[in-house]
Amino acid sequence: MSNKFLSQNDPKIAKILKKEQQRQQEVLEMIPSENFVSKAVLEALGSVATNKYAEGYPGKRYYGGCEYIDQIEQTAISRAKKLFNAEHVNVQPLSGAPMNLAVYSAFCQPGDTILGMDLSHGGHLTHGHPVTLSAKIYRFVRYTCDPKTGKLDYKAIEALAKAEKPKIVLAGFSAYSRNLNYKKFNAIAKKVGAISMMDMAHIAGLVAGKALENPVPIMDVVTTTTHKTLRGPRGGMIMCKQKYARQIDKAVFPGLQGGPHQNQIAALAVALHEAQKASFKKYAAQVLKNARVLCQELQAGGLKIVFGGTDNHLILADVTPLGLSGKEAEQALDEVGITVNKNIIPNDIRKPLDPSGIRLGTPALTTRGMKEPAMKKIGQMIIALLKNPHKISQKTAARKLVKELTQKFPLFYGV
Ligand SMILES: *Cc1c(COP(=O)(O)O)cnc(C)c1O
């Protein structure tokens, strides 16, 4: 990454950024929501598109001089439509949280009910955690899964929907590792006159790469962040059936946001172009293969795999059988250069700030080119370390493997 002007004009920030780049190069990034974008995405993100105000939508702006910005946004929309087989796409959400809030506000009045996945069973903060604005405006009701198998009881969800009469039936997750039955979710929503919504933030890249089923043709509304498995800039995107297009667009702008971040939309267009390629299909398939191998190693080593395994890129593991908490496991791994996050597990008896689980995933390491043999080594090393988190020789061995792998599989922009 060249930063000639930055180094001259603001050496302080240039230096810190260099260190951050080096940190990314030198650790094994296993947080399942993170990834590494291409140089092309970075260039679009750092482009002159950031200078332009473009409130409104292509062809209907409140500002002059939008002819090229319109072309960029229209290209992003067309690519997303084609890639996900979507009838309508809004690429303006500034990030995932405002994206979901926009959808809720498009279909619900304050006090209305939304039915979503329980947060300790893998649902996301923006699906109605009590600390969020959404939870203060809307009434969230929750369904759960069987923590041992990850299975959802669709009959029970239907009964809940009939009793609670939600305006939105919401599927989607950030710590759930199994596949969902979108047809069943959609059928339940239709039975109670609700909108069916899927938040595929975590798995959008796997859907784009045809490794997982595409919910877009099935559900009324599908939201996604663009910076996780999709490997684009930080942002959000809403796809919906044509009949909801106006409602969604109005809810995003002027309902919730002002001027869109056009540099981010340009970078998204680039990421969507990359996601159409055969190489991205290979990437998505490899993310899944890697997750399965890693999951097997962790399970064989004594971790309890929540939901009984993984169908996607992430693993939620109960570390307490090895005699430590999620926070202790996160710290032990952090110390040797492996980044994961502590995570609450279903029916957790521990507190959210020191829960029983860790959540880890394979998207970022797969982008660096790592395959099954590396996953096997990493899984075995994680187990060895967590069994003996304070043993010096164990830490040294772990650091050595981290160094070996990060050098063998560099970030593509290098350090
Ligand atoms: C990450 C995530 C979000 C929020 O995205 P931000 O860009 O961090 O606001 C929303 N929903 C799900 C399911 C997510 O995983």
Side-chain angles (χ1 to χ4, degrees):
M1 224 168 77
S2 138
N3 52 10
K4 194 172 101 198
F5 296 99
L6 193 59
S7 301
Q8 278 169 14
N9 294 340
D10 191 340
K12 181 172 182 187
I13 291 296
K15 213 168 144 192
I16 301 170
L17 275 174
K18 195 97 198 150
K19 282 190 183 152
E20 169 59 12
Q21 192 174 321
Q22 198 175 352
R23 185 196 67 79
Q24 292 184 14
Q25 164 63 31
E26 290 174 358
V27 305
L28 290 177
E29 182 51 72
M30 300 187 77
I31 293 175
S33 50
E34 293 198 14
N35 215 330
F36 303 112
V37 300
S38 69
K39 277 184 185 168
V41 168
L42 279 179
E43 281 180 0
L45 203 51
S47 69
V48 294
T50 195
N51 296 333
K52 190 71 196 99
Y53 243 115
E55 281 177 348
Y57 290 100
K60 290 169 291 198
R61 305 282 190 184
Y62 290 81
Y63 287 81
C66 287
E67 60 266 40
Y68 301 116
I69 292 301
D70 275 6
Q71 288 176 27
I72 291 170
E73 187 165 337
Q74 200 51 62
T75 303
I77 291 169
S78 306
R79 287 178 180 170
K81 275 186 177 174
K82 192 165 167 228
L83 191 59
F84 292 105
N85 193 11
E87 291 180 15
H88 179 76
V89 181
N90 186 310
V91 293
Q92 293 193 1
L94 303 176
S95 218
M99 155 192 91
N100 284 340
L101 186 54
V103 176
Y104 304 154
S105 75
F107 300 108
C108 300
Q109 293 300 317
D112 279 350
T113 300
I114 297 169
L115 179 60
M117 179 114 137
D118 191 282
L119 304 178
S120 74
H121 289 239
H124 188 257
L125 206 64
T126 60
H127 299 173
H129 189 285
V131 298
T132 60
L133 177 63
S134 319
K136 295 187 175 87
I137 304 177
Y138 309 110
R139 179 177 160 265
F140 284 86
V141 177
R142 323 208 160 278
Y143 56 86
T144 55
C145 69
D146 178 338
K148 279 212 182 74
T149 61
K151 282 213 171 79
L152 291 167
D153 182 346
Y154 290 94
K155 286 220 172 76
I157 299 173
E158 183 176 330
L160 199 55
K162 282 181 172 157
E164 301 285 353
K165 307 202 169 29
K167 288 275 160 54
I168 297 175
V169 173
L170 170 58
F173 49 80
S174 60
Y176 180 73
S177 54
R178 311 313 306 233
N179 290 326
L180 298 176
N181 189 327
Y182 305 121
K183 288 204 174 90
K184 283 192 180 167
F185 267 112
N186 187 58
I188 292 168
K190 295 305 117 185
K191 276 189 190 162
V192 298
I195 296 287
S196 62
M197 172 180 175
M198 166 66 184
D199 177 355
M200 65 167 181
H202 259 262
I203 56 168
L206 308 174
V207 171
K210 313 254 184 289
L212 293 180
E213 187 188 9
N214 181 10
V216 177
I218 303 168
M219 307 292 270
D220 292 323
V221 180
V222 175
T223 59
T224 182
T225 55
T226 51
H227 48 277
K228 295 176 184 171
T229 48
L230 192 56
R231 223 159 64 180
R234 313 198 77 78
M237 180 160 81
I238 305 172
M239 292 168 270
C240 66
K241 296 280 178 270
Q242 191 59 42
K243 63 179 164 181
Y244 303 118
R246 248 179 76 79
Q247 249 168 302
I248 289 289
D249 286 352
K250 273 173 64 183
V252 173
F253 173 84
L256 189 65
Q257 297 186 174
H261 295 180
Q262 295 297 343
N263 56 323
Q264 169 197 327
I265 291 172
L268 172 59
V270 176
L272 291 166
H273 180 61
E274 291 173 355
Q276 293 167 1
K277 295 183 179 171
S279 55
F280 196 85
K281 236 185 225 168
K282 269 198 196 143
Y283 165 69
Q286 191 63 48
V287 168
L288 293 201
K289 285 187 211 159
N290 283 354
R292 268 178 222 139
V293 169
L294 182 66
C295 189
Q296 277 162 12
E297 288 303 325
L298 297 179
Q299 192 161 28
L303 293 191
K304 207 160 123 202
I305 305 301
V306 183
F307 312 128
T310 183
D311 297 326
N312 57 28
H313 63 301
L314 73 81
I315 297 155
L316 184 60
D318 180 354
V319 293
T320 57
L322 296 189
L324 71 181
S325 73
K327 188 177 163 188
E328 287 165 339
E330 179 193 288
Q331 278 167 356
L333 292 168
D334 211 23
E335 237 185 275
V336 299
I338 301 176
T339 318
V340 305
N341 66 281
K342 58 180 179 287
N343 212 99
I344 194 162
I345 62 168
N347 314 318
D348 207 326
I349 50 167
R350 303 184 59 87
K351 297 202 178 73
L353 279 177
D354 190 11
S356 300
I358 56 170
R359 187 187 68 149
L360 62 180
T362 54
L365 296 187
T366 310
T367 292
R368 293 178 75 147
M370 292 185 207
K371 295 202 164 104
E372 292 92 329
M375 295 303 125
K376 235 180 144 97
K377 281 188 198 164
I378 293 167
Q380 286 167 357
M381 189 265 282
I382 287 176
I383 292 294
L385 186 74
L386 294 186
K387 279 185 173 161
N388 276 301
H390 304 297
K391 200 166 158 193
I392 304 287
S393 61
Q394 206 56 261
K395 286 191 206 180
T396 308
R399 285 199 190 99
K400 191 164 160 267
L401 179 67
V402 170
K403 193 164 181 193
E404 187 187 307
L405 288 172
T406 52
Q407 284 179 349
K408 188 167 169 205
F409 299 97
L411 290 183
F412 23 92
Y413 46 86
V415 176

